[in-house]
């Protein structure tokens, strides 16, 4: 051992709040634990609910 060890795990910051990610899992996700949950929830909220009709469906019918 030479003593000048190289850190293999880079310090990463959460894409959402900018906090330092300390766990390998969080680094791989790109988000901290809390932000990963929030980001996932927001992503799901943006998806159209299956079976729910949008305003565009009604507009298409009228033409
Ligand atoms: Zn975060």
């Amino acid at each position: 051992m030479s003593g000048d060890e190289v850190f293999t795990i880079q310090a990463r910051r959460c894409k959402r709040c900018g906090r330092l990610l300390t766990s390998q899992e969080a680094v791989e996700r790109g988000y901290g634990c809390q932000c990963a949950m929030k980001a996932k929830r927001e992503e799901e909220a943006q998806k159209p609910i299956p079976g729910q009709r949008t305003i565009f469906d009604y507009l298409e019918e009228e033409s």
Side-chain angles (χ1 to χ4, degrees):
M1 294 292 270
S2 60
D4 52 327
E5 278 180 59
V6 176
F7 284 99
T8 51
I9 299 172
Q10 283 188 317
R12 294 273 182 83
R13 286 182 182 274
C14 174
K15 286 184 215 170
R16 195 183 165 88
C17 69
R19 275 177 63 179
L20 272 174
L21 303 174
T22 48
S23 73
Q24 180 67 42
E25 199 188 339
V27 170
E28 280 170 11
R29 273 191 308 231
Y31 295 106
C33 183
Q34 293 295 314
C35 292
M37 284 199 300
K38 285 181 194 169
K40 198 182 168 190
R41 222 175 278 162
E42 278 171 15
E43 199 176 282
E44 279 170 6
Q46 279 174 7
K47 285 180 198 165
I49 298 160
Q52 191 186 52
R53 306 190 69 185
T54 67
I55 186 75
F56 300 107
D57 290 325
Y58 292 104
L59 289 172
E60 271 176 38
E61 262 176 33
E62 276 177 36
S63 58

